[in-house]
Amino acid sequence: MAPKVAADGTPDLKDYADVIDPSTFDQILEMDDDDERDFSRGIVYGFFEQAETTFEKMEKALTNENLSELSQLGHFLKGSSATLGLTKVKEACERIQHFGKDETGTEEKDNTTALAKIKQTLGEAKGDYDEVAKLLRRFYGEKV
């Protein structure tokens, strides 16, 4: 079944529950005072800027093989994603947060394996982000 769209072409976010948690995102929408959705738009577009900057920092940390920074950046973006209900991005960032550590929470001794896992997961996170960013841009009336 194809996802539903409103007459104006905006997607029905409930049809995308695999990438965005509708109940969490609805809580953000409830804070809007008007039909223009200025408040939630500001939060979402602020997240876009934050995510893109964080992904750039992650790429640099990956190049520098800095597992500690990758973990911190994964943790940071996990929290931001969770606040908006962006489930796939949140889950990928949580994996990045933990890949550089062993089961006791100390830094993993095999950096090569951890970095390879992070590199793959970072690619997945960016793909998931691109998917949800396009969806939300359409939701807010942008042509993408």
Side-chain angles (χ1 to χ4, degrees), residues 60-122:
K60 185 175 180 182
L62 188 60
T63 300
N64 294 333
E65 299 183 357
N66 188 334
L67 290 174
S68 176
E69 186 173 359
L70 284 161
S71 178
Q72 291 170 2
L73 292 167
H75 175 75
F76 172 74
L77 196 53
K78 174 189 77 173
S80 300
S81 303
T83 299
L84 293 177
L86 311 181
T87 52
K88 281 186 165 181
V89 176
K90 177 195 71 99
E91 290 165 2
C93 289
E94 185 170 23
R95 290 195 312 273
I96 290 169
Q97 176 187 351
H98 294 291
F99 274 140
K101 302 188 185 298
D102 65 18
E103 49 283 335
T104 66
T106 58
E107 194 163 304
E108 183 66 65
K109 297 200 180 354
D110 183 7
N111 288 0
T112 304
T113 301
L115 290 166
K117 289 178 180 179
I118 290 170
K119 182 176 182 176
Q120 178 181 347
T121 305
L122 180 55

Side-chain angles (χ1 to χ4, degrees), residues 32 35-46 140-142:
D32 284 320
D35 291 336
E36 299 299 313
R37 301 194 184 279
D38 290 332
F39 181 79
S40 65
R41 180 189 317 265
I43 291 173
V44 169
Y45 280 70
Y140 285 105
E142 263 190 62

